[in-house]
């Protein structure tokens, strides 16, 4: 049975509310999005026919600033997924203390089936239907699954045409030449790396081998792998959607990247053994990083996880039932709303630069991000120790307390 990610998200909030005796009215308000928008998008296809696509936007909460969150193009996008992702964005922004709320959008489509012209028509059509709900101080979308800076550029251009304004800050994740921020590409992966470094300093990573297994090898996992390797970690396993590779001697990240570019997959990487994604999750390593999918840890497999430290770089990779098992096994889990928040932090930096007509160097951006992630980690660690609870519950406590200050 498919796990409902929005129900899982609410359970995480309610666990924090019970632990820290949070304001019940605030918790109730945060348990549902402010609004949910669904639109039909007519697109003229290359063969002259017209197709209607369904598009969504969940605007969860804007107490701390404009709604903020990506737009994904995927054939399996649904209401509960988008609501959950907008919910997590609200708390992610509050954990790292940037002045944004939470939003998320999507279109039900397999973009691989569309030509570039059809993709542009779809993207502009989405903005035509949604533009009254967007704006630099209202709701600021960004790329997500199967979307990129080119698609964001089309949407920004359409918004500016429709509103007769120049509004670089209406969208983040733009190309650098179009007002995007230096350091945005590395931000999520490096942000997770900074948290891992601080956890190591705090003695939270058990075992002296410093071995790490990463499920996923997209942009986030690539930069996290590089950062971890530079800081003494041995990346012994990686995977993509087609399977994984393992070697106790450690994987050369550059060689893995080149192999994937050449062959289209990680499998059969020289010097490694092919493994499944399921096998990767059960390896005997010091650090395990889910960096791909939601709900990879469930009641069915959590008991077989051997790693004693999990860094959640994917959104919602752990079902509540798995969290309970991890607590019983004394496995430390750094939650997604802290671990992978580097991306939205630098999205805020991009928005700030746009709104103030500034341009920061990559070094400046990543230095600011490092300080921000260290501060967020220490605040969550302090809440964990104060309430004698998990990192996940502590992160929700920190976030909800910040939201409560603005909502009361």
């Amino acid at each position: 049975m498919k796990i409902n990610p929005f129900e899982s998200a609410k359970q995480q909030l309610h666990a924090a509310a019970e632990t820290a005796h949070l304001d019940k009215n605030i918790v109730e308000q945060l348990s549902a999005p402010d609004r949910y928008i669904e639109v039909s998008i007519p697109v003229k296809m290359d063969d002259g026919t017209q197709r209607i696509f369904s598009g969504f936007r969940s605007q969860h909460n804007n107490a701390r600033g404009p709604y903020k969150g990506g737009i994904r193009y995927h054939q399996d996008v649904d209401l509960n997924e988008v609501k959950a992702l907008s919910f997590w964005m609200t708390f992610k922004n509050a954990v790292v203390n940037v002045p944004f709320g939470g939003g998320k959008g999507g279109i039900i489509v397999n973009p691989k089936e569309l030509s570039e012209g059809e993709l542009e028509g779809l993207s502009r059509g989405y903005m035509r239907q949604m533009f009254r709900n967007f704006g630099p101080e209202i709701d600021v979308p960004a790329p997500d699954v199967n979307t990129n800076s080119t698609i964001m550029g089309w949407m920004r251009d359409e918004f500016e045409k429709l509103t007769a304004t120049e509004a670089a800050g209406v969208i983040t994740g733009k190309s650098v030449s179009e007002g995007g921020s230096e350091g945005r590409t590395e931000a999520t992966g490096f942000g997770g790396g900074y948290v891992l470094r601080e956890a190591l300093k705090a003695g939270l990573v058990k075992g002296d081998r410093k071995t790490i297994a990463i499920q996923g090898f997209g942009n986030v996992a690539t930069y996290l792998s590089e950062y971890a390797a530079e800081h003494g970690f041995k990346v012994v396993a990686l995977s993509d959607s087609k399977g994984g590779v393992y070697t106790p001697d450690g994987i050369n990240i550059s060689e893995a990247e080149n192999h994937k570019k050449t062959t289209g997959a990680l499998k059969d990487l020289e010097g490694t053994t092919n493994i499944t994604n399921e096998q990767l999750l059960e390896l005997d390593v010091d650090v395990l990083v889910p960096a791909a999918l939601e709900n990879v840890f469930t009641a069915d497999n959590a008991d077989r996880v051997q790693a004693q430290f999990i860094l959640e770089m994917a959104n919602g990779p752990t079902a509540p039932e798995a969290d309970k098992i991890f607590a019983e096994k004394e496995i430390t889990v750094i939650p997604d709303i802290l671990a992978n928040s580097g991306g939205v932090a630098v999205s805020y930096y991009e928005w700030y630069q746009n709104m103030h007509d500034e341009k920061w160097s990559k070094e400046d951006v990543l230095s600011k991000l490092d300080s921000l992630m260290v501060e967020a980690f220490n605040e969550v660690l302090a809440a964990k120790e104060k309430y004698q609870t998990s990192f996940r519950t502590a992160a929700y406590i920190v976030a909800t307390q910040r939201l409560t200050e603005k909502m009361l």
Side-chain angles (χ1 to χ4, degrees):
M1 189 173 69
K2 185 178 178 181
I3 297 169
N4 183 329
F6 189 56
E7 291 304 316
S8 296
K10 288 193 291 184
Q11 284 184 46
Q12 293 164 354
L13 171 60
H14 289 142
E18 191 173 321
T19 300
H21 306 294
L22 301 173
D23 187 297
K24 291 180 181 179
N25 293 330
I26 295 294
V27 171
E28 184 67 21
Q29 193 172 332
L30 289 169
S31 295
D34 289 346
R35 66 185 58 82
Y36 181 76
I37 305 154
E38 183 172 355
V39 296
S40 296
I41 309 163
V43 178
K44 186 176 181 181
M45 309 303 283
D46 291 346
D47 63 3
T49 62
Q50 182 169 270
R51 279 183 63 186
I52 306 297
F53 295 87
S54 294
F56 310 97
R57 187 70 175 175
S58 175
Q59 295 177 324
H60 178 261
N61 183 277
N62 65 349
R64 289 175 46 81
Y67 302 107
K68 181 80 188 78
I71 299 169
R72 57 178 51 188
Y73 289 4
H74 198 277
Q75 59 272 24
D76 296 328
V77 167
D78 64 29
L79 167 63
N80 288 316
E81 177 186 51
V82 173
K83 283 167 64 176
L85 290 163
S86 70
F87 175 100
W88 284 319
M89 286 299 296
T90 293
F91 288 90
K92 197 178 295 188
N93 284 312
V95 166
V96 291
N97 204 19
V98 297
F100 279 144
K104 208 74 174 188
I107 298 175
I108 300 175
V109 61
N110 182 350
K112 294 175 184 176
E113 296 175 354
L114 271 58
S115 69
E116 184 176 8
E118 291 167 341
L119 202 59
E120 179 174 356
L122 178 66
S123 304
R124 290 182 180 274
Y126 179 85
M127 183 55 76
R128 280 196 295 274
Q129 298 289 63
M130 290 282 194
F131 79 95
R132 293 177 183 82
N133 302 292
F134 289 141
E137 295 177 345
I138 300 170
D139 186 347
V140 182
D144 200 86
V145 175
N146 293 328
T147 53
N148 55 30
S149 59
T150 300
I151 290 171
M152 295 302 106
W154 292 330
M155 288 190 180
R156 173 196 170 183
D157 182 63
E158 194 66 24
F159 179 87
E160 291 180 336
K161 284 180 180 177
L162 292 163
T163 59
T165 61
E166 187 175 332
V170 71
I171 275 174
T172 63
K174 304 179 293 293
S175 64
V176 173
S177 63
E178 296 295 324
S181 178
E182 298 280 359
R184 177 63 188 89
T185 306
E186 301 91 337
T188 307
F190 276 15
Y194 302 150
V195 170
L196 178 59
R197 181 195 66 208
E198 295 306 303
L200 191 64
K201 284 182 188 176
L204 296 169
V205 180
K206 298 175 183 176
D208 55 7
R209 297 169 300 169
K210 293 178 78 174
T211 53
I212 183 168
I214 304 176
Q215 186 197 46
F217 199 53
N219 178 62
V220 172
T222 301
Y223 283 107
L224 175 64
S225 299
E226 290 179 4
Y227 187 89
E230 287 171 6
H231 287 77
F233 280 89
K234 187 189 292 186
V235 180
V236 298
L238 292 168
S239 71
D240 57 24
S241 60
K242 297 174 183 176
V245 291
Y246 168 77
T247 171
D249 298 325
I251 297 169
N252 182 296
I253 304 305
S254 296
E255 290 178 6
E257 286 184 274
N258 291 334
H259 179 79
K260 179 160 173 131
K261 283 176 186 173
T262 304
T263 68
L266 280 168
K267 66 181 181 179
D268 299 327
L269 176 65
E270 188 177 349
T272 68
T273 301
N274 290 336
I275 59 173
T276 65
N277 269 287
E278 292 73 23
Q279 287 172 324
L280 182 144
L281 298 174
E282 298 170 17
L283 289 172
D284 179 15
V285 291
D286 295 330
V287 177
L288 179 58
V289 182
L293 306 169
E294 297 164 9
N295 293 319
V296 295
F297 298 122
T298 66
D300 294 332
N301 68 353
D303 199 46
R304 296 194 297 275
V305 171
Q306 296 186 68
Q308 289 299 299
F309 185 93
I310 295 172
L311 183 73
E312 293 186 342
M313 297 304 292
N315 288 315
T318 307
E321 295 76 17
D323 248 344
K324 292 174 185 174
I325 294 169
F326 291 155
E328 290 167 4
K329 294 181 68 174
E330 298 184 348
I331 295 174
T332 299
V333 180
I334 305 295
D336 48 1
I337 62 170
L338 171 60
N340 73 18
S341 57
V344 74
V346 175
S347 283
Y348 165 65
Y349 294 158
E350 178 179 335
W351 177 86
Y352 184 94
Q353 290 170 77
N354 294 157
M355 299 298 281
H356 294 83
D357 197 24
E358 295 180 12
K359 197 69 182 172
W360 303 346
S361 69
K362 181 185 289 188
E363 292 73 23
D364 196 16
V365 170
L366 293 178
S367 175
K368 291 176 188 292
L369 176 63
D370 195 339
S371 299
L372 189 81
M373 298 303 292
V374 170
E375 186 174 346
F377 174 82
N378 287 332
E379 286 168 342
V380 173
L381 178 59
K384 177 186 185 301
E385 292 172 348
K386 177 180 178 180
Y387 293 101
Q388 291 295 295
T389 189
S390 69
F391 268 98
R392 188 184 315 283
T393 297
Y396 274 96
I397 290 169
V398 169
T400 307
Q401 287 172 340
R402 285 193 174 130
L403 286 157
T404 301
E405 289 172 8
K406 296 290 186 180
M407 292 171 68
L408 283 178

